[in-house]
Amino acid sequence: MAGLNDKQRRFVEEYLVDLNATQAAIRAGYSEKTASEQGARLLVNVKVADAISEAQSRRSKRTQITQDRVLQEFAKIGFSDIRSLFTEGGNLRSLSDLDADAAAALSSVEVVTKNLGDGEVEYVHKIKLWDKVGSLTQIGRHLGMFVDKTEVRTVKKIEDMTDEELKGLLGESD
């Protein structure tokens, strides 16, 4: 994080916590009143953006969590087939008999025991899978299939800004 001042370094560290630029700016010591603007300004600062990217890359290597790995997990859920959870006879497979893809798609299994009398017991298995549509939506977003609508509003025209506000936009304050 060479070339960054202390506040900018702190912002990078805080931004990695929750990827919320406004909250990261506040935690880094910027004014709450201007935190939103400061956060946006810091994200477009080339040195800060490079430091964030570098820190995220180091974290990915350290945790072994990569975009590919996350996408693979979404694919297991999104392309899962409920039939893989059952035997040919229609009974639920034991967890140890499930392959990795089927196990990844399974959110929970609940076993309810019903006493039928005369020592007879019936077991009812309730299964729940992870959200298939949500996973496919995330995959589609990753592939650029969907365009999120973004609203842009101008709060103040540049010509109406004070010298201090302009300096703030240009990163000449602090």
Side-chain angles (χ1 to χ4, degrees):
M1 286 197 261
L4 299 181
N5 65 37
D6 289 341
K7 271 189 173 180
Q8 290 170 328
R9 274 192 212 90
R10 180 75 177 157
F11 172 81
V12 170
E13 293 167 2
E14 292 296 337
Y15 182 74
L16 293 175
V17 171
D18 55 9
L19 304 181
N20 183 319
T22 301
Q23 291 304 310
I26 292 168
R27 293 190 301 260
Y30 291 92
S31 163
E32 284 191 40
K33 286 183 179 181
T34 62
S36 178
E37 294 82 10
Q38 292 287 359
R41 181 182 58 78
L42 286 162
L43 288 178
V44 296
N45 177 304
V46 175
K47 290 179 182 178
V48 172
D50 286 348
I52 290 170
S53 180
E54 184 181 313
Q56 286 174 323
S57 178
R58 282 194 313 269
R59 181 175 58 190
S60 287
K61 287 176 186 168
R62 185 175 62 251
T63 62
Q64 296 298 305
I65 298 173
T66 63
Q67 287 183 6
D68 285 346
R69 187 168 171 204
V70 171
L71 193 57
Q72 287 169 359
E73 289 300 310
F74 276 137
K76 287 177 186 177
I77 297 165
F79 301 114
S80 64
D81 184 344
I82 195 167
R83 295 174 294 182
S84 66
L85 300 176
F86 296 92
T87 65
E88 291 291 324
N91 294 316
L92 184 64
R93 293 184 192 275
S94 69
L95 293 177
S96 61
D97 290 338
L98 296 178
D99 64 25
D101 289 353
L106 190 58
S107 169
S108 66
V109 177
E110 180 182 349
V111 180
V112 178
T113 307
K114 290 185 178 181
N115 188 349
L116 302 175
D118 294 333
E120 288 188 52
V121 177
E122 178 183 53
Y123 298 98
V124 177
H125 295 83
K126 297 180 180 181
I127 61 170
K128 183 177 179 183
L129 301 178
W130 292 110
D131 180 15
K132 205 172 161 109
V133 173
S135 290
L136 290 172
T137 300
Q138 293 290 6
I139 292 169
R141 281 198 179 116
H142 176 78
L143 296 174
M145 294 172 61
F146 312 118
V147 177
D148 290 331
K149 191 175 181 180
T150 304
E151 183 178 322
V152 177
R153 288 185 271 157
T154 303
V155 177
K156 200 171 194 181
K157 293 180 182 179
I158 290 177
E159 55 267 13
D160 295 336
M161 291 185 175
T162 65
D163 288 344
E164 189 174 306
E165 290 170 322
L166 287 170
K167 285 179 183 177
L169 280 176
L170 297 172
E172 296 176 6
S173 63
D174 286 348

